[in-house]
């Protein structure tokens, strides 16, 4: 595993050179997979990892080969008509066919991306391409383009005359198509990014098809790992929420029992104190006469009735009846217990 940050070697290029020049013993190959962040994984793999053809067989235009149905459909529709000359277009089809055949040999479904009414071969999320690779967890769109290079513009006599008269802008450079090709890959995974592999002056794309397919497989594995990780995190959140709810519910009922006890105790204490006070009131009323005595007795009678309602033992000694907690009450008790919601 290596860190491919700024200043680090171009591991993909180095692996391609090593494979292209057969520098690995026993016919093995170096496979490069991009991990999260800027890390890359380089591993030594047997040549049997690529089941169908060798790079030399893929590059050979005279070799007879069976077309994958998706690539055959693209040929029939003249999907790569913009790639010229015909020899470069034929090579582009060979590259796509090699990827499709190898994926099919690994039980990966490959289908053609059909053109819409506007002529665009829309895959997903705005990504256009020619082939769709259907993995377990992701779909990958593979497209192919022809590289252009900037060359000095040769001014024609007509352009020179128009420029002299000030009527036209004459560019200094033109862009000319080369025979070099670039393969692009996109996926509908959560954290998708476009990856590209191009012909270079020293290394042909035929020697980088391992990297292309390994990158697609790596995206599927990364997406499956993400799905599994999020599934486990969801289970953990549910278990944590269930534990928090259970503890908050128990705390709620325990608090209501405490509240009932303190309420009964407060009533008992208040009733006892008021009973003592009523005894003093009776003594005071005994010294009154006439209407004052009648008014005092009336008032004391009402007070005695009220004090009787304060008897905490009137409902019997038992656990208090408590209604279930509401969502707001549960939330308050979860916060008191230190639980915080997270997403």
């Amino acid at each position: 595993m290596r860190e491919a940050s700024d200043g680090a070697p171009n591991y993909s290029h180095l692996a391609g050179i090593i494979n292209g020049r057969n520098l690995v013993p026993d016919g093995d190959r170096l496979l490069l997979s991009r991990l999260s962040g800027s890390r890359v994984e380089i591993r030594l793999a047997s040549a049997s990892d690529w089941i169908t053809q060798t790079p030399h067989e893929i590059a050979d235009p005279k070799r007879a080969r069976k077309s994958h149905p998706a690539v055959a459909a693209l040929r029939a529709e003249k999907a790569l008509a913009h790639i010229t000359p015909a020899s470069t277009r034929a090579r582009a089809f060979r590259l796509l066919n090699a990827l499709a055949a190898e994926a099919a040999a690994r039980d990966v479904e490959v289908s053609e991306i059909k053109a819409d009414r506007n002529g665009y071969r829309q895959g997903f999320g705005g990504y256009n391409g020619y082939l769709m690779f259907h993995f377990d967890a992701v779909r990958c769109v593979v497209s192919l383009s022809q590289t252009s290079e900037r060359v000095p513009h040769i001014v024609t006599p007509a352009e020179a005359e128009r420029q002299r008269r000030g009527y036209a802008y004459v560019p200094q450079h033109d862009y000319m198509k080369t025979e070099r090709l670039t393969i692009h890959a996109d996926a509908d995974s959560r954290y998708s990014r476009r990856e590209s592999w191009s012909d270079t002056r020293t290394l042909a794309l035929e020697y980088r098809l391992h990297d292309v397919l390994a990158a697609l497989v790596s995206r599927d594995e990364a997406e499956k790992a993400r799905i599994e990780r999020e599934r486990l995190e969801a289970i953990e959140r549910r278990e944590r929420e269930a534990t928090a709810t259970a503890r908050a519910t128990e705390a709620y009922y325990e608090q209501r029992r405490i509240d009932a006890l303190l309420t009964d105790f407060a009533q008992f204490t208040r009733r006892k104190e008021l009973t003592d006070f009523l005894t003093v009131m009776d003594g005071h009323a005994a010294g009154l006469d006439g209407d004052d005595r009648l008014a005092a007795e009336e008032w004391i009678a009402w007070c005695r009735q009220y004090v009787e309602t304060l008897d905490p033992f009137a409902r019997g000694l038992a656990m208090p009846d408590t209604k279930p907690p509401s969502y707001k009450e549960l939330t308050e008790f979860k916060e008191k217990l230190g639980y915080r919601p997270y997403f």
Side-chain angles (χ1 to χ4, degrees):
M1 191 176 299
R2 294 289 185 270
E3 192 72 26
S5 55
D6 294 340
N10 188 334
Y11 293 110
S12 178
H13 180 66
L14 293 176
I17 292 176
I18 293 172
N19 291 330
R21 297 180 181 177
N22 297 319
L23 299 179
V24 182
D26 301 326
D28 290 346
R29 297 182 60 82
L30 288 180
L31 293 186
L32 183 142
S33 301
R34 297 190 179 275
L35 305 178
S36 59
S38 58
R39 296 177 302 156
V40 296
E41 180 186 57
I42 303 174
R43 62 186 178 90
L44 187 64
S46 170
S48 62
D49 282 359
W50 187 269
I51 303 170
T52 54
Q53 298 170 285
T54 66
H56 293 292
E57 292 172 335
I58 297 170
D60 187 0
K62 298 179 181 179
R63 185 179 179 86
R65 56 180 58 83
K66 182 179 179 181
S67 291
H68 186 280
V71 179
L74 291 174
R75 288 181 186 272
E77 296 173 10
K78 299 181 180 180
L80 301 181
H82 63 284
I83 295 180
T84 56
S87 59
T88 303
R89 182 165 59 253
R91 177 173 174 254
F93 277 119
R94 290 198 302 273
L95 293 172
L96 291 178
N97 190 65
L99 279 174
E102 180 66 20
R106 300 172 185 230
D107 295 326
V108 177
E109 180 187 352
V110 182
S111 61
E112 170 206 7
I113 299 177
K114 297 185 179 297
D116 60 18
R117 65 179 64 182
N118 298 317
Y120 294 105
R121 297 180 181 273
Q122 185 75 31
F124 47 76
Y127 294 122
N128 295 323
Y130 298 103
L131 295 178
M132 180 87 75
F133 291 73
H134 302 263
F135 291 91
D136 292 335
V138 298
R139 296 173 300 164
C140 295
V141 165
V142 170
S143 59
L144 194 145
S145 63
Q146 187 172 11
T147 304
S148 299
E149 63 181 10
R150 196 171 70 167
V151 297
H153 177 73
I154 300 176
V155 181
T156 65
E159 289 175 336
E161 177 61 21
R162 288 197 299 270
Q163 188 178 37
R164 186 186 66 78
R165 298 173 61 183
Y167 292 135
Y169 165 74
V170 178
Q172 294 183 346
H173 299 92
D174 291 323
Y175 289 90
M176 180 179 296
K177 291 182 177 180
T178 69
E179 294 185 357
R180 296 194 298 272
L181 299 172
T182 299
I183 294 176
H184 310 276
D186 302 282
D188 61 351
S189 54
R190 176 73 61 84
Y191 306 106
S192 178
R193 68 185 186 283
R194 166 166 282 201
E195 290 186 84
S196 300
W197 298 263
S198 299
D199 282 316
T200 66
R201 298 184 186 277
T202 58
L203 188 66
L205 264 176
E206 284 81 357
Y207 293 91
R208 306 200 64 189
L209 293 181
H210 273 81
D211 295 336
V212 177
L213 193 57
L216 303 186
V217 173
S218 176
R219 290 197 179 200
D220 181 57
E221 292 174 349
E223 186 68 6
K224 286 191 288 188
R226 180 194 66 79
I227 293 173
E228 178 64 13
R229 182 177 65 254
E230 292 184 355
R231 185 185 71 84
L232 295 177
E233 290 174 352
I235 293 174
E236 181 183 355
R237 284 196 299 270
R238 288 195 296 269
E239 291 177 348
R240 184 179 184 275
E241 182 64 21
T243 300
T245 300
R247 293 182 178 178
T249 301
E250 178 57 30
Y252 165 82
Y253 282 111
E254 186 69 11
Q255 186 61 51
R256 292 299 174 264
R257 298 182 196 110
I258 294 172
D259 293 342
L261 171 64
L262 295 179
T263 299
D264 288 349
F265 177 75
Q267 287 185 345
F268 174 80
T269 304
R270 189 177 184 187
R271 183 172 184 274
K272 185 175 183 301
E273 291 175 347
L274 288 175
T275 300
D276 294 340
F277 181 62
L278 285 176
T279 301
V280 176
M281 291 175 68
D282 284 334
H284 181 74
L288 299 177
D289 296 319
D291 293 340
D292 291 339
R293 177 70 179 267
L294 293 175
E297 289 178 348
E298 181 182 10
W299 170 238
I300 291 173
W302 182 91
C303 291
R304 186 167 282 109
Q305 290 179 353
Y306 170 73
V307 171
E308 289 299 324
T309 64
L310 299 179
D311 185 6
F313 303 114
R315 65 174 178 84
L317 291 176
M319 284 286 187
D321 291 331
T322 306
K323 66 176 183 179
S326 64
Y327 176 81
K328 181 179 179 181
E329 289 169 330
L330 276 180
T331 301
E332 292 174 352
F333 275 90
K334 287 178 184 178
E335 292 179 352
K336 291 178 181 179
L337 293 173
Y339 290 97
R340 295 291 184 271
Y342 65 96
F343 303 95

